[in-house]
């Protein structure tokens, strides 16, 4: 498939990119080769699948964009002229070509990341790995090392938030291409095998080109739940065992007596998060729980079948021990028919007989027949008996390689795969409680906060229920949904186990009663029976300034409350508190939000300490810097020491899930980095329970954050700013995209207050004016300097204080991804008076933020990682035509259906190019 010289993609200016690479014998390829050859292949596909004229349009946009970025031409007018003169189908081809290019380049960079991980691991230069974590533990006495491990629990929580811009079909094709690239890179292949693999890649790229990039329908909650489920069953299920095995091996020599406990637990909101999503019904949650259990049981059944192929020991030659014999005898009595089949099929092979009986007990969990496993602890007990038996026979290596990893999987994933968190807005609970109690003759709405607390406390502590959740009477649709959900909660826990769905997050918690309302409804459902049982962690989500500043009042009132104290006691005196990063940023701006979150984490730790309550923080982080994103291991190390209890929970959202967990080696690397960071952070917290931060630094942050918040709010409250936002970003298109099952706005109004944080950030990212990650940073720092502060203090803060360093490094990334030349095209879409009022100001603030960051960090470049700088340079020329095309289409007052389709496709392409949405 030859390409004309005018269209060749390996010419000096081509789809491929130049770059250095250190050759290693582990690999057959390098990043430059991958970029070049996939670029060439895409060019061939374009030539075959499109017209010559459309291909010329693509090529003119590409070469002009590269020439402008290289300084060979001084204007992007050739791109604009090409797009202006092209018919709609050519414009769509341009959008699809660049979008597809970025999808392929993302795979290339993923492959290069894997090379880097393996190369550094081989060289012993890999930062944040398990080896360094084990080395740090090895410096401690065994008791302290065991304490740190026992206290550590890392809980990634996958959400269904609509930030994943790619279709599932597209992702599947890309994963297929990635697997072929891996084969070419890591296998020694013949020329014939090479050609066969490349033809498969060719076929997938062709199919990818012919596949729609834009969803024709909004995904349903079940789609989102299946998406999360894929990462759990296809990647993490196997990776987790490898992480444990490596850590155990590293610790074995230094600490033969130290046990590695459960360190990871995975949770999910997909299929259970109701906040602002009316489509997540009890039926959706039931379906999610059923499918996840079915997947987990099938994975265990397959593992037992594979294990049966290994444990073929002859019982006449190997004494399996009395414990396993007793276990096998109990199963024979429990399942005599299956036992006879097992004895006939595996005569004299006790392990295989036991495994067949175990598979039958797994099968009967979802069966009407009795004698299935009641809970995962029974299954673990059987595996443990096999493990001990093998070790007694001297087959330790068999137990280590085949039984121990399965036990780790069961301990991590249970019969649920991932525990579900429920979530809803506090207003809905309050309304449901009001209406339900009103039908019982109790005026709840008319009472003040103290009165509401009194009613709820008495209702929770009395033995008889107040409400009939099955028949609540004549209530509103909102109240009926809430009451039915709690009724189903009791059923879910009885059917799937308490651990399958044992957490309830309350959005926009502002009062103690908002927490007690959920505890009351759970009590009425039989999920709570105080003082002996509380089957639910009730988790306030503190996300507004008033809630965070009122945390002592809210949490202190709860801790002193009779009913809530009993609930805490039943939950081992552990209180989970969720912090909202997204709305905090949208409400206060980047710098003020980060500082508020830091201070309030310390405040919450002090409150919990005062009441002798163990705190587990749940960090509601998004994928973007603006919403608490950035490297999770760095974020963990930057947390205040007072908050590092060992347990940590955080959300994983949207495209960040795919970036971290779609590839097994990258997923394993992420888990290792997080475990390394948490072990180090907990060790530091034990050594220094209260973080020693100099008063001058705290004062500086107070002054900078206050000035930054005032500047940010002035912007948001300026007349015409919301209108400018609507005109100078593609928010109107984003609101209509079928990204997720949840609406983009809580009420349908376009106000900054009502708009969800995800589309707010997504819109600014698309326009390359990422104010959500840096606006008012420069102004806040300048205010501190103008008041007598000095740069040297700020440099000391950056060098010695992880919080400040991480904050500035994250802002640097947002600044680096901002491009005001491109942003100006979007500003030109706004009314002239609004443009002249806001755009010069934003540019001035960008320049100020960039300058102060460079001055404080002492760097010449905004990015401290060379590979990231190289990635941006590689991507920028190819994002530009998409931005130019998007602004051209946004400028049209009337667009055809094809133009609307092309416009939506530019959003997907820019998101792929920026590797970020919201």
């Amino acid at each position: 498939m030859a390409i004309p010289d005018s269209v060749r993609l390996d010419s000096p200016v081509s789809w491929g990119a130049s770059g250095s690479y250190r050759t290693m014998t582990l690999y057959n390829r390098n990043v430059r080769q991958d970029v070049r050859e996939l670029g060439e292949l895409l060019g061939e596909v374009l030539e075959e699948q499109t017209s010559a004229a459309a291909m010329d349009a693509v090529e003119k946009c590409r070469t002009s964009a590269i020439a402008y970025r290289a300084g060979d031409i001084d204007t992007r007018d050739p791109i604009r002229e090409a797009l202006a003169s092209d018919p709609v189908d050519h414009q769509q081809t341009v959008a699809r070509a660049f979008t597809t290019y970025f999808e392929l380049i993302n795979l290339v960079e993923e492959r290069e990341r894997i090379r880097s991980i393996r190369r550094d691991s081989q060289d012993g230069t890999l930062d944040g790995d398990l080896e360094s974590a084990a080395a740090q533990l090895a410096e401690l006495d065994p008791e302290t090392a065991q304490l740190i491990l026992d206290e550590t629990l890392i809980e990634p929580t996958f959400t269904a938030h609509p930030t994943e811009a790619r279709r599932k079909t597209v992702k599947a094709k890309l994963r297929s291409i990635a697997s072929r690239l891996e084969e070419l890179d890591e296998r020694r292949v013949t020329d014939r095998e090479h050609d066969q693999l490349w033809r498969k890649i060719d076929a997938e790229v062709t199919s990818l080109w012919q596949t729609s990039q834009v969803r024709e329908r909004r995904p349903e909650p079940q789609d989102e739940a299946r998406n999360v489920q894929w990462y759990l069953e296809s990647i993490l299920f196997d990776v987790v065992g490898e992480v444990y095995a490596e850590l155990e091996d590293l610790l074995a020599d230094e600490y033969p007596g130290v046990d590695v406990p459960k360190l990871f637990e995975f949770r999910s909101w997909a299929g259970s998060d109701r906040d602002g999503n009316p489509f997540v019904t009890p039926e959706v949650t039931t379906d999610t729980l059923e499918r996840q259990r079915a997947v987990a049981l099938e994975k265990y059944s397959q593992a037992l079948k594979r294990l049966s192929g290994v444990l073929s020991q002859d019982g006449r030659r190997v004494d399996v021990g009395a414990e396993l014999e007793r276990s096998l005898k109990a199963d024979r009595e429990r399942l005599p028919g299956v036992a006879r089949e097992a004895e006939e099929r595996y005569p004299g092979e006790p392990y295989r007989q036991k495994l067949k009986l175990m598979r039958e007990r797994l099968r009967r969990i979802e069966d009407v027949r009795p004698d299935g496993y009641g809970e995962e602890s029974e299954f673990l007990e059987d595996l443990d008996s096999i493990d001990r038996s093998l070790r007694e026979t001297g087959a330790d290596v068999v137990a280590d390689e085949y039984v121990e990893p399965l036990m780790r999987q069961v301990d991590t994933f249970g019969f649920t795969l991932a525990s579900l968190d429920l979530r809803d807005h506090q207003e809905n609970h309050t309304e449901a409680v009001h209406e339900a109690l009103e039908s019982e003759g109790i005026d709840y709405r008319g009472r003040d906060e103290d009165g509401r607390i009194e009613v709820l406390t008495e209702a929770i502590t009395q033995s008889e229920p107040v409400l009939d959740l099955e028949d609540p009477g004549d209530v509103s649709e909102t109240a009926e949904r809430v009451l039915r959900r709690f009724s189903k909660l009791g059923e879910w826990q009885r059917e799937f186990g308490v651990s399958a769905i044992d957490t309830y997050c309350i959005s926009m918690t502002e009062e103690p009663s908002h927490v007690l309302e959920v505890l009351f409804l759970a009590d009425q459902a039989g999920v709570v029976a105080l003082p002996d049982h509380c089957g639910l962690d009730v988790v306030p989500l503190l996300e507004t300034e008033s809630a965070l500043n009122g945390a002592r009042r809210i949490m202190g009132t709860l801790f002193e409350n009779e009913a809530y104290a009993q609930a805490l006691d039943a939950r081992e005196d552990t209180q989970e508190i969720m912090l909202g990063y997204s709305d905090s940023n949208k409400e206060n701006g980047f710098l003020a939000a980060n500082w508020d979150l830091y201070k309030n984490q310390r405040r919450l730790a002090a409150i919990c300490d005062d009441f002798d309550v163990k705190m587990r923080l749940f960090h509601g982080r998004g994928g973007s810097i603006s919403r608490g994103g950035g490297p999770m291991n760095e974020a963990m190390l930057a947390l205040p020491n007072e908050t590092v209890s060992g347990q940590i929970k955080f959300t994983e959202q949207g495209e960040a899930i795919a970036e971290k967990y779609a590839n097994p080696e990258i997923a394993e690397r992420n888990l290792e980095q997080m475990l390394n960071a948490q072990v180090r952070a907990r060790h530091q917290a034990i050594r220094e329970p209260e973080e020693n931060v100099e008063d001058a630094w705290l004062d500086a942050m107070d002054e900078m954050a206050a000035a930054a918040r005032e500047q940010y709010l002035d912007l948001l409250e300026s007349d015409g700013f919301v209108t400018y936002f609507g005109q100078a970003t593609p928010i109107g298109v984003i609101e209509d995209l079928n990204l997720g099952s949840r609406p983009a706005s809580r009420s349908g109004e376009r106000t900054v207050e009502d708009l969800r944080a995800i589309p707010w950030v997504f819109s600014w990212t698309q326009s390359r004016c990422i104010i959500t990650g840096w606006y008012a940073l420069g102004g806040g720092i300048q205010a501190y300097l103008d008041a007598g502060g000095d740069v040297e203090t700020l440099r000391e803060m950056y060098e010695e204080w992880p919080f400040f360093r991480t904050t500035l490094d994250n802002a640097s990334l947002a600044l680096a991804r901002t491009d005001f030349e491109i942003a100006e095209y979007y500003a030109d879409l706004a009314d002239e008076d609004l443009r002249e009022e806001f755009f010069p100001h934003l540019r001035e603030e960008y320049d100020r933020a960039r300058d102060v960051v460079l001055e404080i960090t002492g760097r010449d470049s905004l990015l401290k990682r060379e590979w990231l700088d190289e990635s941006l340079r590689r991507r920028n020329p190819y994002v530009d035509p998409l931005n130019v095309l998007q602004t051209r289409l946004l400028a049209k007052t009337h667009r055809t259906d094809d133009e609307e389709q092309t416009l939506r496709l530019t959003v997907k392409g820019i998101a792929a190019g920026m590797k970020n949405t919201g």
Side-chain angles (χ1 to χ4, degrees):
M1 292 177 285
I3 312 171
D5 289 340
S6 61
V7 188
R8 284 200 63 83
L9 302 178
D10 58 350
S11 54
V13 180
S14 74
W15 287 89
S18 61
S20 61
Y21 178 78
R22 183 156 61 94
T23 303
M24 251 193 104
T25 55
L26 282 173
Y27 304 106
N28 306 314
R29 303 173 62 83
N30 59 55
V31 65
R32 182 178 181 183
Q33 180 182 4
D34 285 341
V35 171
R36 186 185 68 249
E37 292 186 2
L38 281 177
E40 290 175 354
L41 176 57
L42 176 58
E44 293 176 3
V45 170
L46 290 176
E47 186 183 22
E48 291 176 349
Q49 299 291 320
T50 66
S51 68
M55 188 64 189
D56 286 342
V58 172
E59 189 65 6
K60 185 172 183 180
C61 288
R62 183 183 69 80
T63 55
S64 298
I66 293 172
Y68 178 78
R69 287 280 181 174
D72 296 333
I73 59 176
D74 57 6
T75 177
R76 289 192 177 94
D77 286 347
I79 304 175
R80 305 180 79 167
E81 291 166 3
L83 294 172
S85 61
D86 287 335
V88 173
D89 63 326
H90 291 185
Q91 293 178 3
Q92 193 165 104
T93 298
V94 169
R96 295 187 64 209
F98 284 95
T99 298
T100 305
Y101 172 77
F102 282 125
E103 298 284 18
L104 297 175
I105 292 310
N106 288 343
L107 296 183
V108 168
E109 292 192 350
E110 177 183 270
R111 178 105 290 273
E112 178 64 4
R113 186 179 174 194
I114 292 168
R115 293 188 191 107
S116 177
I117 290 170
R118 298 185 70 203
R119 180 181 64 237
D120 291 349
S121 177
Q122 178 72 10
D123 294 346
T125 57
L126 192 64
D127 292 332
D129 61 348
L130 290 185
E131 191 168 350
S132 59
Q136 185 165 82
L137 287 171
E139 296 175 1
L140 311 175
D141 61 85
E143 291 75 18
T144 303
Q146 187 67 67
L147 174 65
I148 290 173
L149 290 172
D150 288 342
E151 291 178 337
T152 297
L153 183 65
I154 300 168
E155 298 182 86
T157 302
F158 298 97
T159 79
H161 285 4
T163 63
E164 173 58 82
R166 293 176 297 182
R167 294 179 61 204
K168 184 177 180 181
T169 301
V170 170
K171 287 190 290 185
K173 294 182 183 300
L174 292 169
R175 294 260 52 90
S176 176
I177 296 169
S179 68
R180 309 299 183 193
L181 280 177
E182 179 181 353
E183 285 189 79
L184 288 171
D185 197 23
E186 298 186 9
R187 275 184 54 202
R188 293 180 67 85
V189 296
T190 65
D191 291 344
R192 181 180 178 184
E193 290 170 335
H194 175 278
D195 292 344
Q196 289 172 340
L197 285 169
W198 197 254
R199 278 198 298 272
K200 286 181 170 58
I201 293 175
D202 189 347
E204 286 287 11
V205 173
T206 301
S207 177
L208 179 64
W209 176 260
Q210 294 176 338
T211 299
S212 174
Q213 288 273 354
V214 180
R215 292 189 183 101
E216 297 300 325
R217 65 172 180 88
R218 183 177 291 275
E220 297 176 353
Q222 290 96 327
D223 299 323
E224 295 166 336
R226 290 188 191 98
N227 182 54
V228 167
Q229 177 186 305
W230 182 88
Y231 293 101
L232 292 164
E233 68 172 303
S234 303
I235 306 294
L236 289 165
F237 190 86
D238 295 320
V239 163
V240 160
E242 295 170 8
V243 173
Y244 278 113
E246 183 178 352
L247 182 61
E248 287 178 325
D249 286 345
L250 289 167
L251 291 175
D253 293 336
E254 293 288 340
Y255 290 134
V258 169
D259 294 324
V260 178
K262 178 178 179 178
L263 301 171
F264 295 98
E265 183 176 288
F266 296 94
R267 307 187 69 90
S268 176
W269 283 7
S272 58
D273 178 12
R274 269 102 174 130
D275 184 18
N277 193 341
F279 307 113
V280 180
T281 63
E283 289 74 23
V284 168
T285 304
T286 300
D287 178 68
T288 302
L289 288 166
E290 288 176 345
R291 278 189 297 97
Q292 289 189 171
R293 182 173 67 179
V295 166
L297 296 180
E298 179 60 24
K299 297 287 284 188
Y300 298 140
S301 181
Q302 291 172 359
L304 292 182
K305 191 171 183 178
R306 289 192 298 271
L307 192 57
S308 183
V310 176
L311 303 187
S312 56
Q313 285 87 339
D314 186 344
R316 292 165 296 188
R317 299 179 58 190
V318 175
D319 182 5
V320 298
E323 180 187 356
L324 188 66
E325 288 288 2
R326 284 194 299 270
S327 176
L328 191 51
K329 180 182 178 182
D331 280 348
R332 286 167 178 158
E333 294 173 353
R334 187 182 289 116
L335 301 167
V338 180
R340 283 192 297 272
E341 291 178 18
E343 289 170 354
E344 291 172 3
R345 184 170 183 181
Y346 304 116
E349 296 178 330
Y351 290 124
R352 284 179 161 176
Q353 292 176 22
K354 176 64 179 176
L355 291 168
K356 182 172 176 58
L357 289 161
M358 290 170 66
R359 288 179 67 197
E360 181 63 26
R361 294 194 69 189
L362 282 175
R363 188 178 296 114
R364 293 192 179 199
I365 291 174
E366 297 183 300
D367 203 320
V368 296
R369 293 173 296 175
D371 298 315
Y373 286 111
E375 51 189 32
E376 53 259 31
S377 60
E378 297 175 11
F379 183 44
L380 266 175
E381 189 176 323
D382 274 350
L383 288 171
D384 198 40
S385 69
I386 294 174
D387 182 83
R388 284 196 293 269
S389 172
L390 288 168
R391 296 183 191 282
E392 287 171 3
T393 68
D396 296 62
V397 65
V398 178
D400 289 341
E401 287 298 313
Y402 294 101
V403 183
E404 184 73 20
L406 178 55
M407 294 172 66
R408 289 296 189 185
Q409 289 169 332
V410 176
D411 195 30
T412 302
F413 298 98
F415 289 162
T416 62
L417 199 63
S419 300
L420 298 186
D421 287 5
L422 291 164
R423 185 175 75 131
D424 203 352
H425 197 287
Q426 58 87 3
E427 289 180 351
N428 296 330
H429 308 134
T430 301
E431 183 61 30
V433 170
H434 158 65
E435 293 186 34
L437 290 179
E438 188 177 46
S439 66
E440 299 295 330
I442 302 172
D443 178 19
Y444 183 76
R445 192 193 301 275
R447 294 174 180 259
D448 61 13
E449 177 64 13
D450 289 340
R452 291 183 177 188
I453 291 174
E454 182 181 1
V455 168
L456 295 169
T457 304
E458 291 180 5
I460 295 168
T461 53
Q462 73 178 40
S463 57
E464 294 299 317
V466 177
L467 307 178
D468 181 358
L469 297 181
E470 296 289 341
D471 184 20
D474 185 20
V475 296
S476 67
E477 182 181 350
T478 295
E480 192 276 333
R481 277 203 308 268
V482 172
L483 297 174
R484 182 166 173 252
R485 180 188 317 145
F486 277 92
S487 176
K488 293 293 291 183
L489 176 57
E491 295 179 23
W492 292 326
Q493 291 199 349
R494 288 188 292 274
E495 169 66 20
F496 300 98
V498 172
S499 63
I501 184 164
D502 63 350
T503 298
Y504 202 114
C505 297
I506 308 164
S507 298
M508 291 294 174
T509 299
E510 297 283 345
E511 300 291 346
S513 63
H514 296 157
V515 178
L516 290 174
E517 286 164 357
V518 169
L519 187 65
F520 164 67
L521 292 171
D523 173 75
Q524 301 303 293
V527 172
V528 172
L530 299 178
D532 301 317
H533 175 70
C534 182
L536 201 67
D537 279 326
V538 186
V539 182
L541 170 47
L542 307 179
E543 48 195 328
T544 66
E545 185 178 1
S546 61
L548 289 166
N549 290 335
R552 178 166 288 276
R553 173 182 59 83
I554 296 170
M555 302 312 303
T557 301
L558 290 170
F559 294 156
E560 291 176 336
N561 180 269
E562 176 188 0
Y564 200 76
Q566 291 180 16
L568 272 180
D569 184 61
R571 302 295 290 182
E572 300 181 342
D573 287 319
T574 298
Q575 175 64 58
E576 185 173 305
I577 302 173
M578 186 173 184
L579 297 173
Y581 286 66
S582 300
D583 284 288
S584 179
N585 181 292
K586 184 161 66 74
E587 182 180 345
N588 299 289
F590 175 77
L591 185 63
N594 275 274
W595 182 231
D596 272 1
L597 287 163
Y598 180 88
K599 287 194 303 181
N600 282 296
Q601 287 177 62
R602 298 185 79 180
R603 183 182 302 166
L604 288 167
I607 295 167
C608 290
D609 188 57
D610 288 345
F611 288 92
D612 200 24
V613 171
K614 290 175 286 189
M615 180 181 71
R616 176 172 59 239
L617 280 180
F618 183 5
H619 301 271
R621 294 159 46 92
S624 66
I625 295 300
S626 313
R627 300 177 52 244
M632 187 62 208
N633 59 316
E634 293 182 7
M636 293 162 81
L637 290 168
L639 294 174
N641 290 359
E642 299 92 320
T643 71
V644 183
S645 63
Q647 296 187 21
I648 186 170
K649 186 174 174 182
F650 50 89
T651 52
E652 297 277 29
Q653 300 182 13
E655 76 285 338
I657 297 176
E659 187 171 338
K660 293 180 181 180
Y661 302 107
N663 181 282
E665 289 176 279
I666 291 176
E668 183 175 354
R669 169 67 170 155
N670 271 288
L671 295 184
E672 289 183 358
Q673 285 181 301
M674 290 189 292
L675 181 55
N676 173 287
Q678 191 65 356
V679 165
R680 290 169 57 195
R682 182 60 189 141
H683 180 211
Q684 176 64 21
I686 290 174
R687 290 194 309 179
E688 188 181 328
E690 185 172 347
E691 188 171 13
N692 183 23
V693 183
E694 293 187 19
D695 290 342
W697 298 359
L698 298 173
D699 292 342
M701 279 307 308
D702 280 335
E703 189 160 0
M704 289 187 290
R709 177 184 289 107
E710 182 179 356
Q711 181 181 342
Y712 177 79
L713 293 178
D714 283 347
L715 176 69
L716 260 61
E717 295 166 3
S718 297
D719 289 342
F721 178 71
V722 173
T723 302
Y724 176 79
F725 166 66
Q727 294 175 346
T729 75
I731 179 60
V733 184
I734 289 168
E735 287 173 330
D736 293 333
L737 280 175
N738 295 320
L739 292 182
S741 65
R742 200 169 65 155
S745 174
R746 289 184 171 89
S747 69
E749 298 293 328
R750 186 183 294 163
T751 64
V752 174
E753 295 79 14
D754 189 67
L755 190 70
R756 293 191 181 281
I758 292 167
W760 165 251
V761 177
F762 197 170
S763 301
W764 289 111
T765 303
Q766 285 276 304
S767 66
R768 305 296 296 273
C769 184
I770 313 175
I771 69 168
T772 52
W774 50 258
Y775 183 80
L777 173 68
I781 293 175
Q782 191 60 53
Y784 160 76
L785 295 174
D786 290 344
D790 62 276
V791 173
E792 285 306 316
T793 298
L794 297 177
R795 288 174 177 161
E796 289 174 6
M797 292 165 63
Y798 181 78
E799 290 296 325
E800 301 176 28
W801 191 11
F803 160 76
F804 191 65
R805 180 168 59 251
T806 300
T807 300
L808 281 199
D809 286 345
N810 285 340
S812 295
L813 185 55
L815 287 163
R817 285 176 167 161
T818 296
D819 187 320
F820 262 87
E821 287 191 21
I822 295 294
E824 188 169 6
Y825 294 141
Y826 290 85
D828 288 342
L829 299 172
D831 295 340
E832 186 176 354
D833 58 333
L834 295 178
R835 181 199 183 287
E836 292 305 311
E837 179 176 356
F838 293 111
F839 185 71
H841 172 68
L842 295 177
R843 172 173 271 174
E844 180 182 337
E845 286 304 312
Y846 168 83
D847 290 340
R848 179 155 59 171
R850 181 198 59 210
D851 291 346
V852 296
V853 164
L854 292 176
E855 185 174 12
I856 293 169
T857 62
R859 293 195 299 263
D860 295 327
S861 169
L862 286 168
L863 298 175
K864 64 177 183 179
R865 294 178 176 87
E866 185 178 343
W867 64 266
L868 186 54
D869 198 24
E870 181 181 343
S871 175
L872 280 177
R873 289 197 305 270
R874 180 186 297 130
R875 290 165 179 277
N876 276 335
Y878 297 88
V879 182
D880 293 352
L882 290 169
N883 286 121
V884 173
L885 178 54
Q886 187 178 92
T887 53
R888 171 175 169 74
L889 293 171
L890 287 172
K892 292 196 169 192
T893 55
H894 299 288
R895 290 185 289 269
T896 65
D897 290 344
D898 284 343
E899 286 174 329
E900 285 289 349
Q901 183 82 354
T902 302
L903 181 55
R904 290 195 293 272
L905 186 55
T906 64
V907 174
K908 306 281 187 175
I910 294 168
M914 298 285 289
K915 296 187 75 172
N916 205 267
T917 55

